[in-house]
Amino acid sequence: MEFNNGTALITGASGGIGEEFAVQLAGRGANLVLVARRADKLAQLHDTLVGKHPDITVDVIAEDLAVPGSGAELENKVRDLGRTIDVLVNNAGVGLHSKFVDQAPEPNAAQIQLNCGTLVDLTARYLPAMTQRGRGVVINVASTASFQPTPGMAVYGATKAFVLSFTEALWQECRGTGVKVLALCPGATETEFFERTGEDFLTDGRQTARQVVGTALGALDRSGPTVVSGWKNSLLASGYRVTPRRLMLAVSERLLKSAN
């Protein structure tokens, strides 16, 4: 798929999968609007990308998308820059790793807002114009946690199941419009995600962000609504569909146990 001279808005772009989306899309000639909380990390990434690709435009916006109303603020800032968004990558997300009863209400509310609320809000703000133009891309980053409940990360798994369901429905609604919609479902990936949860788990078989993003961009040339990154992850995701629910819950809980 061609990205040259288009503009991609990437959330959670200061590291991990979001940063890798920026790197690979810049390599394909896309202009970028990079969004994350950490202004210093965004500035470093801006300088790196512009130095390597002087023909593209890279804008950075520091914004906490876990705050209600942040989607509207971000849209205003993008409008002030004069950018038309051709590609939306809803990558920003967070997870809490512990039993639900041990979690405070406020971080979970922020998790739901970021993983679901702002994702839907930004999609609502940019998808209609894409369909009117008859072209565009929306990539929503879900997870292999989308396919089954996740004891130990109960809210995170539920938010990612929401993202998967929402995105697959959009894929069907957008058929014939010229807009490509994709749910990307990575498994464990070498990013800062695990560090931020404060726990070490799913330590075996982690993919790199480069592998995950390469899978996503390659899937845009195919016709399905969802792509799971990595054959082992694909096999596991498929297996959950035929596994008895009680067994599935036990297996999922065991997989998410802390390695400490």
Side-chain angles (χ1 to χ4, degrees), residues 236-247:
L236 190 61
S238 298
Y240 279 126
R241 296 171 182 171
V242 296
T243 303
R245 299 291 287 184
R246 289 184 65 179
L247 176 60

Side-chain angles (χ1 to χ4, degrees), residues 170-233:
L170 288 186
W171 177 86
Q172 180 65 27
E173 291 181 4
C174 288
R175 294 185 71 179
T177 66
V179 178
K180 293 179 180 290
V181 178
L182 180 69
L184 170 61
C185 297
T189 308
E190 287 292 350
T191 69
E192 296 173 325
F193 176 87
F194 295 95
E195 181 181 336
R196 290 176 183 171
T197 67
E199 301 283 349
D200 196 17
F201 57 101
L202 293 176
T203 56
D204 295 330
R206 292 182 186 178
Q207 287 197 300
T208 66
R210 182 177 181 182
Q211 290 173 312
V212 171
V213 174
T215 296
L217 297 183
L220 290 174
D221 293 323
R222 300 191 290 274
S223 60
T226 304
V227 64
V228 178
S229 184
W231 69 267
K232 290 183 180 180
N233 293 325

